[in-house]
């Protein structure tokens, strides 16, 4: 069974940095796009950053210049390096990936989420 497992969340002061990691496991044939989303209390889930298999990236306007997404295709991992964190970055961060598993069609998978809290 395909699964996404996130790690790296936590509590940090404003201006600090955190690194989130996500590893995909299971009978994976191919991973297309990967990305990170976040959802703050009372708000809709929003795209933080995305990356194609070839390494093309896109970012939400609020994180441009502060966050960097990267992936390792050999290890089926995607990372999010976050710098200059602000209290408004506080949210649950979710890993997302478009995965083709063995004997299955391409499907959108989500991790369980990891909490990031930025104190002022």
């Amino acid at each position: 069974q395909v699964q996404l497992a996130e790690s790296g969340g936590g509590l940090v002061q404003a201006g600090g940095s955190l690194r989130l990691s996500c590893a995909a496991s299971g009978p994976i044939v191919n991973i297309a796009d990967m990305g990170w989303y976040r959802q703050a209390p009372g708000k809709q889930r929003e795209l933080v950053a995305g990356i194609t298999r070839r390494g093309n990236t896109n970012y939400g306007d609020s994180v441009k210049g502060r966050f960097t997404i990267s992936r390792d295709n050999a290890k089926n991992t995607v990372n999010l390096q976050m710098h200059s964190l602000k209290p408004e970055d506080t949210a649950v961060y979710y890993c997302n990936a478009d995965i083709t598993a063995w004997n299955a069609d391409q499907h959108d998978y989500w991790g369980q989420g990891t909490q990031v809290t930025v104190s002022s």
Side-chain angles (χ1 to χ4, degrees), residues 12 20 22 24 26 28 31 37 44 47 53 57 64 67 78 81 83 88 92 95 99 103 107 109-110 112 114 118:
V12 64
L20 304 183
C22 174
I28 295 169
I31 302 179
Y37 288 73
Q44 290 189 332
L47 173 70
R53 184 170 183 82
T57 60
K64 286 179 180 177
F67 291 10
V78 61
Q81 180 66 54
H83 293 298
E88 50 263 45
V92 177
C95 176
I99 297 174
N103 279 339
H107 181 70
Y109 289 86
W110 292 89
Q112 79 284 356
T114 185
V118 184

Side-chain angles (χ1 to χ4, degrees), residues 81-98:
Q81 180 66 54
M82 305 183 290
H83 293 298
S84 302
L85 283 161
K86 304 175 182 180
E88 50 263 45
D89 293 318
T90 296
V92 177
Y93 284 69
Y94 296 91
C95 176
N96 172 265
D98 293 328

